[in-house]
């Protein structure tokens, strides 16, 4: 009779399942829960109940959270410098489209006439920034392009700061969470059509 070989437990190579240790399903070293791969980061709502899920897009994002995420993406692209002009222009176009087609009309209706000048100013800012980025894209690589990119970058940062400090707080005051989720879903559908 052949001696039985001792079987070793398979080690998981999936990140977040115990650092290569056998995944027993009992949690981490002290028995604490370990996040499963692909789980949401701490502090995000648990959407597994299905209340905020659509058939076409999966979990629906709050419109303000989605736009803030767009701001973070734009700022990261600005930090990459002139080599990111193409992706930056695309991100700004997508962001402006979501604001102009979905978010601003709903906020204009909810906030009333007193807030309309702020939204009009923001719309004009989108158009100016788009035009300036188009001019920069046409320039050859070099000092002039870099200088103008830095100037437009400062203008973009200021524009995003104004939205963060005026538009989004007003939206949080005037639009309920279900309204913001519905706007987020409309933004998802708009992105799918592009």
């Amino acid at each position: 009779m052949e001696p039985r070989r001792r079987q070793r437990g398979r080690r998981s190579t999936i990140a977040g399942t115990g650092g290569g240790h056998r995944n027993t399903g009992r949690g981490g070293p002290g028995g604490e829960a370990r996040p499963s791969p692909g789980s949401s980061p701490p502090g995000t709502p648990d959407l597994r109940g299905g209340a905020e899920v659509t058939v076409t897009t999966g979990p629906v994002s709050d419109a303000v959270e989605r736009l803030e995420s767009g701001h973070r993406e734009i700022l990261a692209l600005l930090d990459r410098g002139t080599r990111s002009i193409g992706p930056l222009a695309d991100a700004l176009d997508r962001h402006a489209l979501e604001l102009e087609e979905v978010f601003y009309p709903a906020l204009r209706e909810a906030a009333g006439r007193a807030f309309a000048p702020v939204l009009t100013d923001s719309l004009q800012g989108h158009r100016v920034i788009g035009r300036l980025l188009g001019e920069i894209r046409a320039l050859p690589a070099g000092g002039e392009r870099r200088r103008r990119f830095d100037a437009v970058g400062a203008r973009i940062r200021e524009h995003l700061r104004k939205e963060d400090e005026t538009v989004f707080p007003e939206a949080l005051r005037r639009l309920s969470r279900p309204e913001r989720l519905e706007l987020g879903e409309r933004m998802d559908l708009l992105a799918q059509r592009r």
Side-chain angles (χ1 to χ4, degrees):
M1 182 169 172
E2 235 178 88
R4 285 187 76 165
R5 285 179 131 177
R6 185 173 157 209
Q7 287 188 324
R8 291 177 43 182
R10 291 185 65 202
R11 295 187 181 267
S12 174
T13 58
I14 300 172
T17 59
H21 297 287
R22 187 169 159 229
N23 190 356
T24 62
R26 291 188 297 257
E32 72 276 5
R34 254 189 320 231
S36 62
S39 64
S40 299
T44 58
D46 182 7
L47 300 177
R48 289 177 286 188
E52 298 175 351
V53 173
T54 67
V55 174
T56 57
T57 61
V60 176
S61 58
D62 179 301
V64 173
E65 293 169 4
R66 179 185 177 101
L67 293 168
E68 288 172 336
S69 174
H71 282 193
R72 288 189 297 275
E73 177 188 5
I74 291 165
L75 291 171
L77 289 167
L78 280 172
D79 289 341
R80 289 178 51 197
T82 56
R83 69 181 182 272
S84 69
I85 288 177
L88 176 63
D90 292 342
L92 285 166
D93 287 346
R94 182 174 56 250
H95 183 70
L97 186 67
E98 290 174 348
L99 285 168
E100 294 171 15
E101 298 277 325
V102 177
F103 192 72
Y104 283 176
L107 185 56
R108 187 181 309 270
E109 184 177 317
R113 299 179 86 181
F115 199 67
V118 174
L119 298 177
T120 301
D121 182 53
S122 187
L123 288 170
Q124 290 171 345
H126 293 164
R127 289 181 180 89
V128 169
I129 289 169
R131 182 180 49 78
L132 293 174
L133 264 181
E135 292 173 6
I136 292 171
R137 285 178 100 166
L139 291 174
E144 177 64 16
R145 185 179 201 190
R146 197 170 20 261
R147 186 187 65 72
R148 294 205 31 206
F149 179 83
D150 291 342
V152 170
R155 180 176 240 160
I156 292 170
R157 289 176 199 279
E158 177 63 17
H159 179 82
L160 298 180
R161 185 191 62 75
K162 283 182 182 177
E163 283 183 357
D164 287 339
E165 293 177 1
T166 58
V167 176
F168 296 163
E170 186 71 14
L172 292 172
R173 278 192 293 280
R174 304 288 184 159
L175 300 169
S176 68
R177 172 105 170 123
E179 289 171 319
R180 294 191 316 267
L181 288 170
E182 191 266 328
L183 293 173
E185 183 175 3
R186 287 177 45 202
M187 289 177 188
D188 287 340
L189 293 172
L190 183 66
Q192 287 177 4
R193 289 195 323 245
R194 281 191 92 208

